[in-house]
């Protein structure tokens, strides 16, 4: 159309995923601060002469200028016009394989928790950014940061597991049984067949990760962390109704730095 | 929508990567109007590539026999092994004329977002090759992107305890470019990898 120009707009975003497109282009999936999840074409970024290809690697926090309609009118794919790096977390995970796999699971979860493109989700954006920053700072074990992110992401989506009351009848207290289909801890009267019986320390760890009590979380034993990760993953995937491809590949090597 | 054979050809061409419906239609009509000898040559090439080309049993590069040309070449050294993601990377490195060792093609890079983990690549076969004791240096030539770097990190973790020297291709400024246009990551890598002159 003669004289037609797609409008330009700016936002800051986290790069969730990159996919190859054609000879030298990429489709970039972004979680933006003001426009939710978007997909955009970055032209020529796979060429060694690309001026901003390195800034569009996964897990980076970027300031991006996009061409297209952020309200979803016109072509579905936006086009990346300019990029500046704010904090390129990706490069800090490259020498730490467990952190790279945890960051991948965070990015995939963020994508799955935003099923509709272009729908703003500021709290999830801030949560994702905070999780990647915590992962990059390496103050806590990668699996703890990942599990805290998954628990809080589920809270934002409305699927937080019940930890201090019965998920079925609401009776307050720490209940021993945990049922994923029921939605968390269940009292002896409501306990469905097949409910798990995690150690009390595991429920304490889940509560600590949800509330951000890192003193308790960092002190958790490896066995407790493993049980917590299993319950969190099962709870998330039950509600997403599909498995996350990156979760089984998360390196839960006990030798990781804590 | 065309009928019969021509539509079948358009549909098949449209399944190729990077070929959309319009391009498929254009190629189909080009084939229709081309010299029959040219079309037969194309058809034979397509048939032969599936019949003859296979993966080298040693390095997993593409080959037309049990072993590829590089693995059969007795003049190349067994002491240096270069790990790449895809067969096309072998061609790119061979074009430099700088490398006289052997290759190992992984068949991709670790990418948890796509469900590709170490078990989906030819890492077990690489470990078996390294176990023979002939290799002194392993060059990690995976792509300089997040997945390639993560794959290199993983391989370095696995191989270093074996006492083999592990090196990574240098990253830095492209020849012929201006410094002011380099992005901060590339420029940072160039600084890290600077050398005495």
């Amino acid at each position: 159309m003669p004289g037609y120009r797609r409008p330009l707009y700016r936002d800051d975003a986290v790069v969730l995923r990159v996919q190859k497109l054609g000879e030298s282009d990429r489709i970039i999936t972004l979680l933006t601060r003001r426009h939710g999840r978007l997909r955009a074409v970055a032209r020529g970024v796979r060429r060694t002469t690309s001026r901003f290809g390195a800034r569009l690697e996964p897990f980076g926090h970027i300031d991006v200028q996009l061409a297209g309609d952020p309200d979803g009118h016109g072509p579905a794919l936006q086009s990346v016009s300019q990029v500046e790096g704010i904090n390129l977390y990706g490069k800090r995970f490259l020498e730490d394989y467990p952190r790279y796999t945890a960051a991948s699971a965070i990015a995939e979860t963020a994508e799955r928790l935003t099923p509709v493109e272009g729908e703003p989700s500021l709290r999830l954006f801030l949560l994702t950014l905070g999780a990647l920053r915590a992962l990059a700072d390496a103050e806590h074990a990668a699996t703890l940061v990942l599990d805290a992110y998954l628990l809080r992401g589920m809270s934002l989506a409305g699927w937080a597991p019940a930890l201090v009351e019965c998920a079925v009848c609401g009776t307050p207290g720490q209940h021993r049984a945990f049922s994923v289909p029921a939605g968390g801890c269940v009292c002896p009267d409501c306990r469905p067949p097949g409910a798990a019986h995690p150690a009390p320390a595991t429920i304490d760890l889940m509560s600590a990760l949800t509330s951000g009590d890192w003193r308790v979380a960092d002190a958790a034993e490896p066995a407790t962390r493993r049980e917590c990760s299993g319950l969190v993953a099962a709870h998330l995937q039950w509600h997403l109704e599909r498995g996350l491809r990156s979760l089984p590949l998360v390196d839960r090597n006990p030798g990781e730095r804590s | 929508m065309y009928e019969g054979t021509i539509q079948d050809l358009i549909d098949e061409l449209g399944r190729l990567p990077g070929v959309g419906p319009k391009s498929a239609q254009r190629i189909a009509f080009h084939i229709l109007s081309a010299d029959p000898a040219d079309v037969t040559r194309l058809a034979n090439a397509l048939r032969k590539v599936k019949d003859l080309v296979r993966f080298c049993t040693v390095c997993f590069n593409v080959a037309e026999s049990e072993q590829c040309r590089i693995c059969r070449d007795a003049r190349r050294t067994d002491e240096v092994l270069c790990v790449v993601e895809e067969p096309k990377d072998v061609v790119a490195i061979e074009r430099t004329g700088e490398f006289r060792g052997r290759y190992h093609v992984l068949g991709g890079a670790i990418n948890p977002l796509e469900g590709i983990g170490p078990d989906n690549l030819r890492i077990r076969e690489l470990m078996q090759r390294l176990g023979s004791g002939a290799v002194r240096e392993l060059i990690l030539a995976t792509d300089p992107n997040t997945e390639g770097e993560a794959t290199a990190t993983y391989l370095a973790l696995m191989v270093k305890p074996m006492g083999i020297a592990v090196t990574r291709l240098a990253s830095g400024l492209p020849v012929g470019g201006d410094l002011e246009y380099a992005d901060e990551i590339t420029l940072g890598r160039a600084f890290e990898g600077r050398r005495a002159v």
Side-chain angles (χ1 to χ4, degrees):
Chain A
M1 185 160 54
Y4 172 76
R5 280 191 66 204
R6 298 171 80 189
L8 296 172
Y9 65 99
R10 265 177 76 175
D11 205 339
D12 67 318
V14 173
V15 181
L16 298 181
R17 181 193 291 264
V18 298
Q19 290 158 293
K20 289 180 181 176
L21 175 70
E23 286 281 316
S24 60
D25 307 336
R26 275 194 173 138
I27 296 176
I28 315 289
T29 305
L30 301 166
L31 181 61
T32 65
R33 185 184 292 269
R34 288 184 292 279
H35 301 96
R37 181 170 62 83
L38 296 174
R39 288 187 310 143
V41 176
R43 301 211 180 275
V45 289
R46 282 158 59 202
R47 293 201 181 102
T48 51
T49 49
S50 169
R51 285 183 54 189
F52 53 70
R55 298 175 191 139
L56 288 172
E57 286 293 312
F59 322 127
H61 181 204
I62 56 171
D63 182 356
V64 62
Q65 179 169 273
L66 297 162
D69 191 337
D71 299 326
H73 305 300
L77 281 178
Q78 319 276 314
S79 189
V80 177
S81 161
Q82 288 181 37
V83 185
E84 288 297 329
I86 298 173
N87 269 310
L88 301 174
Y89 297 117
K91 64 179 179 181
R92 294 165 68 179
F93 306 141
L94 297 182
E95 289 172 3
D96 191 336
Y97 186 71
R99 286 185 197 278
Y100 165 70
T101 56
S104 299
I106 287 172
E108 189 181 3
T109 306
E111 202 176 346
R112 299 287 289 280
L113 291 177
T114 48
V116 181
E117 280 191 38
E119 200 170 86
S121 182
L122 178 62
R123 292 176 68 193
L124 185 68
F125 170 79
L126 294 173
L127 181 66
T128 307
L129 196 57
L132 291 174
R133 187 180 297 135
L135 213 50
D137 290 345
E139 287 176 10
H140 310 288
T143 50
L144 289 179
V145 175
L146 172 61
D147 289 338
Y149 175 81
L150 298 181
L151 283 165
R152 293 180 209 182
M154 283 191 280
S155 297
L156 293 181
W159 316 320
L163 299 173
V164 290
E165 73 278 311
C166 173
V168 178
C169 67
T171 305
Q174 268 216 345
H175 304 292
R176 292 292 311 277
F178 189 97
S179 167
V180 169
C185 294
V186 280
C187 68
D189 295 336
C190 300
R191 190 183 66 210
H197 286 84
T202 303
I203 304 297
D204 291 343
L205 176 57
M206 290 173 79
S207 299
L209 291 172
T210 307
S211 63
D213 187 347
W214 286 101
R215 191 182 50 80
V216 171
D218 287 336
E221 295 293 321
T224 307
R225 293 182 187 191
R226 275 197 299 276
E227 191 170 44
C228 171
S229 294
L231 288 179
V232 171
H235 195 83
L236 174 72
Q237 294 184 105
W238 171 271
H239 286 283
L240 286 174
E241 295 180 347
R242 229 173 72 194
L244 286 176
R245 291 204 274 193
S246 54
L247 263 188
L249 298 172
V250 171
D251 191 335
R252 300 183 188 276
N253 186 345
E256 67 186 6
R257 60 285 302 128
S258 56
Chain B
M1 191 78 174
Y2 297 91
E3 284 182 6
T5 316
I6 187 76
Q7 187 61 44
D8 290 345
L9 179 60
I10 293 171
D11 291 344
E12 289 304 318
L13 290 168
R15 289 167 59 185
L16 297 174
V19 179
K22 281 283 179 199
S23 301
Q25 189 177 305
R26 199 167 60 247
I27 298 166
F29 277 96
H30 172 79
I31 290 171
L32 202 59
S33 61
D35 190 89
D38 292 341
V39 178
T40 306
R41 214 167 37 247
L42 174 65
N44 285 339
L46 286 171
R47 212 173 11 249
K48 275 170 74 178
V49 81
K50 283 307 286 179
D51 289 345
L52 299 179
V53 177
R54 63 192 84 171
F55 289 114
C56 170
T57 53
V58 179
C59 72
F60 301 97
N61 190 8
V62 285
E64 288 195 18
S65 56
E66 186 98 338
Q67 292 188 4
C68 69
R69 178 182 53 81
I70 295 169
C71 288
R72 289 198 312 268
D73 189 345
R75 291 167 301 174
R76 301 184 77 113
T77 175
D78 289 329
E79 293 194 344
V80 190
L81 189 64
C82 181
V83 178
V84 296
E85 291 181 18
E86 303 287 352
K88 59 181 189 266
D89 301 327
V90 173
V91 177
I93 295 173
E94 283 298 287
R95 271 204 306 265
T96 66
E98 296 282 332
F99 181 64
R100 298 298 301 160
R102 310 279 184 190
Y103 292 93
H104 187 88
V105 182
L106 291 174
I110 295 172
N111 187 350
L113 285 166
E114 301 297 334
I116 301 170
D119 292 344
N120 303 106
L121 305 174
R122 297 188 188 104
I123 292 177
R124 195 176 298 116
E125 292 85 347
L126 172 65
M127 292 302 154
Q128 283 168 1
R129 285 183 80 180
L130 296 177
S132 71
V135 179
R136 298 271 172 267
E137 181 185 358
L138 184 74
I139 302 172
L140 301 173
T142 50
D143 287 344
N145 54 30
T146 305
E147 294 82 25
E149 296 286 356
T151 308
T153 303
Y154 180 84
L155 290 176
L157 274 174
M158 301 283 286
V159 174
K160 274 182 182 167
M162 300 170 83
I164 296 168
V166 181
T167 55
R168 177 90 175 105
L169 287 192
S171 296
L173 300 167
V175 175
D178 284 5
L179 200 72
E180 63 172 312
Y181 292 125
D183 65 86
E184 57 271 34
I185 295 181
T186 309
L187 198 51
R189 291 275 187 87
F191 260 95
E192 280 171 18
R194 69 187 184 277
R195 59 190 169 83
V197 290

